Every structure is written in C-alpha cells, then in structure tokens.
Amino acid sequence: MPDIQLISPGDLDGHGQAGGFPIEQYALRFLAQGDSWFSIGAVPPWLTSNLFDKLTLSKSAVAVNCARPGAELVHMTDSTSNRTFLQLLSGRLARPWTALLLSGLGNDVISAAQSPPGQAPATRLLATAAEWAAAGDPARYVSEPGWATFRNHAKDVFGLLLQRRDAAPVNRGLPIVMHTYDFVTPRNAAAGPNLGPWLYKAVNAFGVPQRDWAALGSELLRRVRALMLELAAADATIHVVDTQGTLAPADPTDTGPTAHWQNEIHPTRTGYRLLGNVWEQSLEQLFCAP
C-alpha cells in the first residue's frame, strides 16, 4: 500500500514553476492543518517525526500540509496568520477535498496551563494550593472555572472553523478528522534549546507534588478527549481518531527520550508509528471502504 504523499501548499503550483504537483492523480486529496504532531516535534527535526510518517492507505492519497509547530486552534482559524490554509479551504484557492485532517487542541491546553498562579481562577487552567480539594483525585489540581473558560473558548473557535469551512459551497460539510492526544507526563525533557519543557514548568509553578504529575497530565488530556468527542457528537461531519492510551507514558523522572516519547510532549518515531496504525484503520474505514 502506498504512503500518503505529503506536500506543502506551495507545491500545488510548483512555487511559481510550470506544472505544479499533479494532485488530481490521487484518489484521496486531504487538506491538513495542525500543530507539531503534524509537523516538527524536536530540534533538530530528524530526532522525531510526525503522525504522517509512513502512513499508508489502500488508495493513493496526498495531504497538503499547512501544520506548524506550536499552532493553536485559535490561530489555525485566523485569516491573518493562516491565510493560505483558509484560502485552500474556502477561498480563491479552494478545491474539493476528501477531508480536513486536523491536529488541534493539544497545544491549546499546554498553552493554557502556562497561565501563572497570580491570575484569576477563570483565566488559568491549574489551581493554586489554597484551592486544592482533598487528596486522591488529580482533578483537584485543575481550576474548574479556568477549565470552563478553556472549554467554551475551544468550542467557540471550533465553531469558527466550521463557519470558515462552510463559507463556500465547494467544501461545505467537508468531513473533519481529528485525533485525541496520548498521555503526556510533565517532566524536564525539552524539545530543543529554549523549546520547553512546558507542563514541567507549570506544575512546578503551582507546587504540584511530583508523585501526581503523571496523573495531572492524564487528567488534562482526558478532558481534551471528552471535549473532542462532545464536538463530534454535535456534528456528524466530525470524526475523532481515538489514539489515547496507545503509548507507554514516560516517568516524571525521565529527562530524555523513552520508548515512546522523544521529549515531554512529542512521541518518538516508534510512538508516532503506533499512533499512525490507529490513524490508518480509521481513514481506511472512512474513505477506502467499498
């Protein structure tokens, strides 16, 4: 089975050269948008890969990849910073796509966790020690007003993405395929110089005991998964590839690569391949089944 061919938006027109990429020759033509799990997860980049690595389907497929490291959903829908993506989706560069493949909300929750303890509860994702409930439940480290803010904001931004998608008839109702994120462990494992770690700094800023770091990371990603499933339940065009629980979590004391994690928030090549296996099954069922 052939690998999904990954190209950049500029390849469609050959970067101004005659005879751009022959996208019409492919049975499946995906538009991809997202964060580092679709692009680069380490410096130097070859230390890890992404979810597209060796992704194969029974039909020929190409993905025009607009993803970039650090992207948050709110920026993916911004017509200023992501003009090309939106033009390909519903603007003057739009063409009929098979589906929009989306890697989003992972960076959003990590960014939200960076809000410092001095912020009001509704504007930070983590709770201060004075707000912690009884021991035993990792949810006690989450600021519930802050989570409500995050959840509502995410739903609003996703609604904007649907509006952008449906702005032109060519891709109105286009299927959107997104994925859950596996369990990230806060730990002192950066992705490169001045690139993280992220959750490690957050749990230290809020004084979360190390014994509960892994449980808190899992709690946050479980909530993101529930949010994605809620979005999918509300709109039949949204599909969730549920990869959560596929990888072996790192330990909070690990400061380097583990079997499935290259750094704090990005899988190894082996990890991405395991996640890719789940993606292949879902995409086959959605777009290759007779």
Side-chain angles (χ1 to χ4, degrees), residues 58-77:
S58 59
K59 292 183 178 181
S60 63
V62 61
V64 181
N65 195 6
C66 300
R68 60 180 176 81
E72 298 172 27
L73 190 61
V74 65
H75 299 307
M76 298 178 199
T77 58

Side-chain angles (χ1 to χ4, degrees), residues 27-44:
L28 305 176
R29 297 178 288 274
F30 299 116
L31 180 62
Q33 175 62 299
D35 53 27
S36 53
W37 282 40
F38 268 9
S39 52
I40 299 171
V43 174

Side-chain angles (χ1 to χ4, degrees), residues 77-116:
T77 58
D78 178 35
S79 59
T80 301
S81 60
N82 272 284
R83 183 175 301 149
T84 300
F85 163 65
L86 294 174
Q87 288 290 339
L88 288 168
L89 181 64
S90 58
R92 62 181 182 83
L93 302 177
R95 64 183 70 209
W97 302 102
T98 302
L100 168 61
L101 308 183
L102 180 66
S103 181
L105 288 182
N107 268 21
D108 298 72
V109 76
I110 289 169
S111 177
Q114 308 306 305
S115 296

Side-chain angles (χ1 to χ4, degrees), residues 20-189:
F21 186 86
I23 192 170
E24 292 79 10
Q25 296 179 10
Y26 289 78
L28 305 176
R29 297 178 288 274
F30 299 116
L31 180 62
Q33 175 62 299
D35 53 27
S36 53
W37 282 40
F38 268 9
S39 52
I40 299 171
V43 174
W46 56 82
L47 289 178
T48 184
S49 56
N50 59 47
L51 275 166
F52 286 109
D53 188 37
K54 297 182 175 62
L55 199 63
T56 63
L57 295 174
S58 59
K59 292 183 178 181
S60 63
V62 61
V64 181
N65 195 6
C66 300
R68 60 180 176 81
E72 298 172 27
L73 190 61
V74 65
H75 299 307
M76 298 178 199
T77 58
D78 178 35
S79 59
T80 301
S81 60
N82 272 284
R83 183 175 301 149
T84 300
F85 163 65
L86 294 174
Q87 288 290 339
L88 288 168
L89 181 64
S90 58
R92 62 181 182 83
L93 302 177
R95 64 183 70 209
W97 302 102
T98 302
L100 168 61
L101 308 183
L102 180 66
S103 181
L105 288 182
N107 268 21
D108 298 72
V109 76
I110 289 169
S111 177
Q114 308 306 305
S115 296
Q119 295 277 4
T123 58
R124 53 178 160 80
L125 199 55
L126 300 184
T128 61
E131 298 165 345
W132 293 349
D137 185 351
R140 72 192 187 114
Y141 300 117
V142 178
S143 170
E144 294 301 341
W147 174 256
T149 299
F150 176 86
R151 175 178 171 274
N152 291 334
H153 175 68
K155 292 178 70 174
D156 288 344
V157 174
F158 207 88
L160 178 59
L161 174 63
L162 297 181
Q163 291 179 23
R164 302 283 195 197
R165 177 197 64 181
D166 295 340
V170 65
N171 285 309
R172 191 166 295 157
L174 179 73
I176 297 175
V177 185
M178 58 196 306
H179 67 91
T180 59
Y181 290 81
D182 222 311
F183 298 125
V184 169
T185 300
R187 62 191 183 101
N188 190 16

